[in-house]
């Protein structure tokens, strides 16, 4: 089926092989690449983060559409959000952990 990201084909939007693999992984794991048309709107973050977000969204949508896919998707870790966030800057420091030089 078709795969559009922000109105553009997925090959045009995600240019690196790694991001393309990440995005297509839920469809490949369930062997249903031709049976779904996917159109996604994504913004914020970087290209790698967006590819992970699209992958998670597609996996969740497929689970909702067909509950039999859930064990396969969960086994490959496609239903788990990457919870890493930027650590906040602390006062007295230049960055989150970077301090000023003394000597």
């Amino acid at each position: 089926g078709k795969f559009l990201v922000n109105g553009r084909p997925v090959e045009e939007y995600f240019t690196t092989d790694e991001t393309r693999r990440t995005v297509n992984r839920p469809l490949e794991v369930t062997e249903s690449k031709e049976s779904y048309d996917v159109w996604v709107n994504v913004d914020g973050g970087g290209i790698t983060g967006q590819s992970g977000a699209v992958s998670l969204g597609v996996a969740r949508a497929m689970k909702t559409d067909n509950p039999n896919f859930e064990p396969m998707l969960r086994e490959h870790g496609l239903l788990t959000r990457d919870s890493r966030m930027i650590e906040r800057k602390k006062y007295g420091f230049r960055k989150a952990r970077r301090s000023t030089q003394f000597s």
Side-chain angles (χ1 to χ4, degrees):
K2 292 182 187 169
F3 200 141
L4 298 176
V5 180
N6 292 349
R8 292 163 38 194
V10 70
E11 292 79 21
E12 189 182 310
Y13 192 83
F14 293 114
T15 52
T16 64
D17 289 337
E18 183 189 353
T19 53
R20 286 184 189 158
R21 267 197 306 272
T22 303
V23 167
N24 288 316
R25 195 126 181 267
L27 297 167
E28 290 168 358
V29 165
T30 55
E31 297 170 359
S32 54
K33 195 165 181 130
E34 297 302 316
S35 56
Y36 285 101
D37 285 340
V38 181
W39 69 97
V40 183
N41 290 323
V42 66
D43 67 329
I47 293 295
T48 307
Q50 286 184 355
S51 69
V54 170
S55 174
L56 180 64
V58 169
R60 284 181 176 173
M62 291 174 72
K63 180 190 86 171
T64 304
D65 183 51
N66 185 350
N68 298 331
F69 286 155
E70 184 170 0
M72 283 183 272
L73 293 167
R74 198 164 292 287
E75 180 183 325
H76 290 273
L78 296 171
L79 293 174
T80 308
R81 181 182 177 274
D82 185 359
S83 61
R84 294 177 293 179
M85 299 283 283
I86 292 178
E87 190 175 341
R88 79 172 201 85
K89 183 195 174 299
K90 279 76 165 191
Y91 59 88
F93 287 77
R94 287 184 5 199
K95 295 169 82 178
R97 298 187 183 202
R98 171 89 166 93
S99 182
T100 55
Q101 181 177 337
F102 64 98
S103 85

